[in-house]
Amino acid sequence: MPVTASTVRAVLGWSPGPGVPDVDASALLLTGSGRVRSDDDFVFYNQPRHASGAVRHLGKQAGADSLDVDLNGLGPDIERVALCASADGGTFGQVPGLHLRLFDAASGTELARFDMEAGAETAYVSGELYRRAGGWKFRAVGQGYADGPAGLATDFGISVDEERPSPGPAAPHRAPVRPPAPAGREEPSIRLTKGEESLPVDMRKRLSLRKQQIAVSLTKHGLPRLTARVILVLDASGSMGGLYTRGTMAGVTERMAAVAAQLDDDGEMQAWTFASNPARLPDLVVGELPEWLALHVRVGQVGLFGRKKPPRGLRPGQVDMRAVGIQNEEQKVIAEVRAFVRDHPVPDPTLVLFFSDGGVYRNDEIERELRAAVEEPVFWQFIGLGRSQYGVLERFDTLPGRRVDNVGFFAADDIERVPDAELYDRLLSEFPSWLRTVRQLGILR
């Protein structure tokens, strides 16, 4: 959400009582690399004021610990302020009523509230303030650390004097913790997808870990056994060339294949690419993922001239990218995906994962398509990769006059640096609330 206040107060709250661990709030000032410049960029009870004066730890009261952040006072090299917490004498799973509230420090107006659940974590990132297009935004995170405050500090570049316990040879350095399911709550199930046993060993391991992380994200939202059709849309406009040639989009597609493998009961994912015109790609079958990535995640023969010449060396099923073109016409592929969903109804919701690097200029046409799709059982999750000019894709969340908010947006401009757990949390953060609404309204039964 956008933050227009110049100074905000972040209040970490919980319900104190016997057996509840002692909780402390802290803040990390991070550069564009996602790390601190030095230990001085860590603000907490033993270092309560940043040298710039822009971030201050205000001290603890019963069931609350607060930080003030003067957004205008942060230096230009500070891109994010991570709002963190640690639990002493227990885990966050023993902390009832854990939540974060964000206020306009001048007026006292509450801007946001984020309620959190946790398990075995002893360190936590509850949310973050970050720069976007010359302004500031707030994002809820809710990610814990299995290896405690030392793991959190080390990940963000803080030096740690004490020896950290070894997580064991099989455990990753940083891993999401699956909290124990409260009484009456279903444990998440990990789907085994036909053909995944034939994948290369490294790819199969990545797929398995990612499915677990997706299940954890859904469990946080009370949807441990969700089934959904997943559709992938990949921008292939001219400005995307570098992301394809560097392998970024192949990596993105592999990560999205895990979403289909976990959510879709047949483990397949429909896919489109688009620029001036949309083109449907062959369905992505998880067991054929390496071949699919090699054949279909590509820019290919893109150019302004020679489109009438015969294609050079196209394999069966490959799209002649000259017919796709190079401009941004998002509304065309949105209309084509909508038509596919209407012509191929399923009892489950449809989740569209739509990647764009910006340069959006058909704002009115796109808005008309998305408004017309409000009464359809489809949630459109847009992911920005280009740092700017997302137009109506970014603004749609705030547009009035809709019965259902059927669109989500977030920017992940350095998506290769975003850990899987964080990426899936952000991908799935708005989908569950949309799903509950459309079921209540009878759009989806």
Side-chain angles (χ1 to χ4, degrees), residues 203-220:
M203 184 175 282
R204 189 168 70 243
K205 288 180 178 179
R206 291 195 297 270
L207 177 68
S208 179
L209 285 172
R210 285 166 175 165
K211 287 193 293 183
Q212 292 175 28
Q213 290 163 337
I214 293 162
V216 169
S217 293
L218 289 170
T219 301
K220 291 178 182 178

Side-chain angles (χ1 to χ4, degrees), residues 12-14 20-25 84-99 116-126 143-145 148-149 152 179-180:
L12 183 72
W14 65 94
V20 175
D22 191 25
V23 176
D24 294 293
C84 309
S86 59
D88 187 18
T91 69
F92 277 108
Q94 300 168 281
V95 180
L98 186 65
H99 64 273
M116 298 172 280
E117 293 183 3
E121 303 96 326
T122 56
Y124 215 74
V125 179
S126 51
Q143 180 176 334
Y145 282 74
L152 181 150

